Amino acid sequence: MPDTTELDARRRRLLFRARHRGTKEADLLIGGFVARCIATLSDSELDELEAVLEHPDVDLADWLSGRRPVPADRDSPMLRRMAAEVAGRGMAGG
């Protein structure tokens, strides 16, 4: 987990948004992923992350846990990366 004092303002803001989604499940799934990778994301990846964070918690939690497939019009490399990490960590529901 990065020391937030070492992160630039954009990364700190995204980390806060990811950790304070409104539901505990979303906070854990999304916030955990962002905390682990925020320090190394490129600017374009940060753009993708911002777009993912615009989706409602219910949808994100369902997509990341595998309860529902990601609709084609919402699919993105960042969302696939997040889902793969959740599945790899054994955090997916089912």
Side-chain angles (χ1 to χ4, degrees):
M1 180 120 53
D3 176 1
T4 57
T5 61
E6 295 178 7
L7 297 175
D8 61 58
R10 183 181 187 193
R11 285 179 167 78
R12 285 193 310 268
R13 185 178 66 250
L14 286 169
L15 182 58
F16 182 86
R17 281 183 65 196
R19 287 180 167 167
H20 298 87
R21 298 294 300 177
T23 65
K24 185 168 181 100
E25 182 179 26
D27 290 351
L28 292 172
L29 291 174
I30 301 160
F33 170 83
V34 173
R36 287 185 292 278
C37 71
I38 192 70
T40 61
L41 294 178
S42 69
D43 286 340
S44 63
E45 289 171 325
L46 292 174
D47 292 342
E48 288 181 43
L49 178 59
E50 285 176 329
V52 167
L53 294 179
E54 292 299 319
H55 297 300
D57 283 357
V58 173
D59 291 337
L60 283 174
D62 283 353
W63 299 337
L64 295 177
S65 68
R67 286 189 295 262
R68 287 190 298 139
V70 177
D73 66 330
R74 306 292 182 177
D75 192 21
S76 71
M78 182 59 66
L79 197 50
R80 286 192 302 275
R81 179 176 170 183
M82 293 170 80
E85 182 177 306
V86 168
R89 290 180 163 270
M91 296 169 62

